[in-house]
Amino acid sequence: MKRLVLGIVQGIAALLLTIGAFTFFKACGDMDGKFMACHWAQNAAVLIGIVLSVLALIRIFIPDEGIKTGLSIAVFVLSVSAAFVPNTVINLCMMKDMACHTTFKPAVIVVSAVLALAALADIIVGAVRKKETK
Amino acid sequence: MSIKKLLYKSITGRPLRSFALLFICVLMSGVVFGGAVLSASMKNGMNSLEHRFGADIIVVPKSAKGQVELENMLLQGTPGYFYMDKSVNGALEKINGVEKLSAQYFLVSANSECCSAKVQIIGFDDDTDFSVKPWLSEAYSEKLGLNELIVGSGISAQVGHSLKFYGVECKTVGKLESTGTGIDTAVYASAETVKGLIKAAGSKGISVLSKQSPDDVISSVYIKVQDGYDIDEVTADINLGIDGVQAVRTKSMITATADRLSVFSSSITVLISAVYILSAVIMLIVFTAFVNERKGEFALLRVIGFSRFMLGRQVMSEASVICVVGALIGISAASVIVFPFASLIEKKAALPMLSPDLISVVGYALLAFAAVAVTGPLASAYSAYRLSRIDTGRIFREGDR
């Protein structure tokens, strides 16, 4: 039950990252048809979000406890990397009062942190269970 | 079964009740902590705004647009520009009571190559300036050279980085500390650099700027009034004595903002008080109801050897555990909203905001934690007292289970 809840939390957070990154917490729009650097940060976040969603969904349906833990390790590493995409790996706009700084960056960091924590908790639960079954 | 295990079972055995109590504690601590941090941020922003001006009077061109644009620029960071003849500077020097004055020139960049937004460029006179320099010198003590910039904290360029305006590469030589005001997103340059940018704009086909050279026009004049002179009288003298300009007392300019801040701050205080009182009352009702509901269980515990003190402690321990966990979750949840989204809140509230320092934040967190961790056990104390007076025999006789 614990692992199912953690799996669902991971799935919801991954989908939120994917959909949110190009809808309700998207970066700045285009200016006269020209995209700024933050647009590419948004694309990178969406791409990582899609990979995370696929991993999280597979993790929910696969019954093997060991594979679940392995997938959670991958989700943890990827979600930590996603948090570094805005402004660290890919630059955002110059002014900090723009949407990419005020909405996109904090939202990606918060959702990625929730995802990483859920994945970490799942890894720990998986490890404890494996120890108990030995 | 150990006491600890009994406590655990008692909390997890009634998930709905425990979750409802936990939710109240999360809400209570989140509102107290988040509200306190937001309120402090607004007060810090206002103090910063008052200090940041440095001038007693600001003179702008006489038009409704001039003052509104200046306010928007200073408070909300909306780029703006307006000009008046440079001869105003000389006329102002002759006004009695003017101790120091310094002119500024505002320029708005076209969408710069780094960014999809316009950037406010402020040209200032390094020799006469007294309102910007004290803040600039924190970051850079030298005189600004040609194509050198000092950027506000809201510009993500670091010292040593280059920024391009109208094709001119400008070097960032200093960065200001955050003020929580709109000028955090401005860049500061010398008059020479501004002239160069206007020339570059002309060569790129933006000729409108070439008619507004810093050699002929200025945007605003910051004035420091001599000690012993009444600021309002000097303001009136300027407005009456010089045509085409409007002198604004800086204090009156920020009054409207201070009033709005006061309304926000009061609303937050009311919200915190309302949530706190309501939560405390709900807790008191829930604990009273829950003792009535569990009379039979407590009577059984008395029969198996629990003392009255132990029963009371059991009730208060349950309340303490739920409140401590709830307070931790509430403070964490509020932190996740208040800190990462501070810029968004500032933008939506249109008020200057400056986050409090770490020590203050820890203080607010402890305050919120204590408020919840103390209220819960206090609310359960009455129930614990009633339990200590429980008549086990009567409960069993009545079959009240």
Side-chain angles (χ1 to χ4, degrees):
Chain A
M1 185 64 184
K2 264 185 202 166
R3 295 206 84 179
L4 180 67
V5 171
L6 288 169
I8 291 169
V9 170
Q10 285 182 49
I12 292 171
L15 285 171
L16 187 68
L17 179 67
T18 314
I19 298 163
F22 67 88
T23 53
F24 49 89
F25 56 81
K26 65 179 178 185
C28 309
D30 67 303
M31 184 60 76
D32 306 326
K34 192 179 163 192
F35 288 111
M36 299 302 135
C38 65
H39 175 75
W40 312 114
Q42 177 188 299
N43 283 0
V46 171
L47 181 66
I48 296 176
I50 292 169
V51 177
L52 281 166
S53 304
V54 172
L55 290 177
L57 290 175
I58 294 172
R59 192 223 150 276
I60 292 172
F61 295 110
I62 280 193
D64 188 283
E65 294 280 315
I67 297 176
K68 272 185 194 290
T69 307
L71 286 169
S72 281
I73 293 171
V75 168
F76 175 76
V77 175
L78 260 179
S79 51
V80 170
S81 348
F84 286 99
V85 166
N87 220 28
T88 308
V89 178
I90 301 173
N91 280 341
L92 299 181
C93 286
M94 189 174 74
M95 288 159 76
K96 289 186 179 166
D97 61 350
M98 297 185 70
C100 55
H101 281 284
T102 58
T103 316
F104 174 70
K105 184 184 163 188
V108 168
I109 292 173
V110 168
V111 176
S112 302
V114 170
L115 194 48
L117 285 176
L120 186 65
D122 192 50
I123 295 164
I124 293 168
V125 172
V128 169
R129 281 199 188 160
K130 197 178 175 186
K131 208 176 171 185
E132 282 171 358
T133 51
K134 270 186 181 176
Chain B
M1 189 185 279
S2 69
I3 299 283
K4 272 185 190 168
K5 188 133 189 182
L6 182 68
L7 186 66
Y8 175 76
K9 288 273 178 198
S10 181
I11 292 170
T12 54
R14 292 172 183 79
L16 198 66
R17 182 187 62 88
S18 301
F19 182 78
L21 274 173
L22 191 73
F23 178 75
I24 291 168
C25 295
V26 168
L27 187 74
M28 203 176 181
S29 55
V31 169
V32 171
F33 176 68
V37 170
L38 276 183
S39 198
S41 301
M42 285 177 186
K43 278 175 192 153
N44 282 352
M46 199 61 217
N47 290 339
S48 166
L49 184 64
E50 279 174 3
H51 286 106
R52 189 67 176 82
F53 277 123
D56 298 316
I57 300 167
I58 301 177
V59 178
V60 290
K62 192 174 189 173
S63 64
K65 196 184 160 202
Q67 194 186 336
V68 171
E69 280 209 21
L70 184 70
E71 279 183 26
N72 287 343
M73 205 184 95
L74 298 175
L75 303 175
Q76 288 156 34
T78 311
Y81 57 92
F82 40 83
Y83 303 105
M84 56 191 173
D85 199 85
K86 203 172 184 177
S87 61
V88 168
N89 217 14
L92 284 168
E93 278 172 356
K94 290 173 191 158
I95 299 281
N96 279 338
V98 173
E99 186 189 351
K100 292 183 203 168
L101 57 85
S102 181
Q104 289 191 351
Y105 182 94
F106 301 150
L107 182 67
V108 178
S109 78
N111 304 325
S112 83
E113 286 165 32
C114 58
C115 198
S116 54
K118 291 174 178 174
V119 178
Q120 180 77 57
I121 301 167
I122 299 177
F124 70 103
D125 185 350
D126 225 344
D127 297 322
T128 60
D129 188 82
F130 61 91
S131 63
V132 182
K133 236 175 177 175
W135 294 83
L136 293 178
S137 60
E138 287 175 13
Y140 184 65
S141 54
E142 310 275 322
K143 201 168 175 176
L144 276 182
L146 185 65
N147 295 340
E148 284 186 342
L149 298 175
I150 289 179
V151 298
S153 64
I155 303 278
S156 47
Q158 299 301 319
V159 173
H161 286 184
S162 289
L163 293 175
K164 225 178 207 178
F165 297 105
Y166 302 114
V168 178
E169 194 117 343
C170 298
K171 193 182 171 194
T172 307
V173 293
K175 190 161 185 166
L176 301 172
E177 282 181 16
S178 180
T179 65
T181 66
I183 30 192
D184 281 347
T185 51
V187 301
Y188 297 85
S190 66
E192 293 306 310
T193 304
V194 172
K195 277 184 217 166
L197 292 179
I198 292 171
K199 203 174 165 189
S203 65
K204 286 205 171 250
I206 309 168
S207 56
V208 66
L209 291 173
S210 58
K211 294 170 193 160
Q212 311 285 1
S213 165
D215 286 334
D216 311 316
V217 293
I218 49 175
S219 299
S220 67
V221 182
Y222 280 56
I223 293 172
K224 183 91 186 157
V225 174
Q226 268 177 29
D227 286 343
Y229 279 86
D230 185 67
I231 299 171
D232 285 328
E233 275 179 23
V234 177
T235 309
D237 285 350
I238 295 169
N239 284 330
L240 289 171
I242 305 171
D243 285 338
V245 302
Q246 188 180 7
V248 187
R249 201 177 160 171
T250 47
K251 216 171 184 180
S252 70
M253 190 185 277
I254 57 176
T255 303
T257 310
D259 289 346
R260 278 209 349 263
L261 186 131
S262 171
V263 170
F264 264 87
S265 204
S266 309
S267 309
I268 289 172
T269 311
V270 169
L271 182 72
I272 291 174
S273 312
V275 169
Y276 186 82
I277 293 168
L278 200 66
S279 304
V281 170
I282 291 173
M283 274 185 189
L284 192 67
I285 294 168
V286 169
F287 282 117
T288 311
F290 124 92
V291 164
N292 285 335
E293 177 198 312
R294 291 169 68 191
K295 264 184 187 168
E297 180 191 327
F298 289 124
L300 261 180
L301 289 174
R302 282 283 288 139
V303 170
I304 62 168
F306 266 59
S307 66
R308 292 177 195 280
F309 172 73
M310 282 167 81
L311 276 187
R313 196 176 64 182
Q314 177 76 10
V315 173
M316 288 185 78
S317 300
E318 279 182 37
S320 301
V321 168
I322 292 172
C323 287
V324 165
V325 173
L328 291 176
I329 296 173
I331 292 167
S332 310
S335 305
V336 162
I337 296 167
V338 169
F339 297 115
F341 293 98
S343 307
L344 186 67
I345 297 169
E346 183 184 345
K347 209 171 157 183
K348 296 284 176 198
L351 281 170
M353 284 172 78
L354 199 57
S355 292
D357 56 35
L358 187 65
I359 296 169
S360 307
V361 170
V362 172
Y364 295 132
L366 288 175
L367 183 82
F369 182 82
V372 178
V374 169
T375 308
L378 271 183
S380 67
Y382 173 65
S383 311
Y385 170 74
R386 280 183 59 206
L387 267 180
S388 68
R389 300 166 65 86
I390 199 167
D391 183 351
T392 316
R394 202 178 125 210
I395 288 167
F396 281 131
R397 276 196 304 278
E398 287 172 357
D400 187 6
R401 291 181 181 225

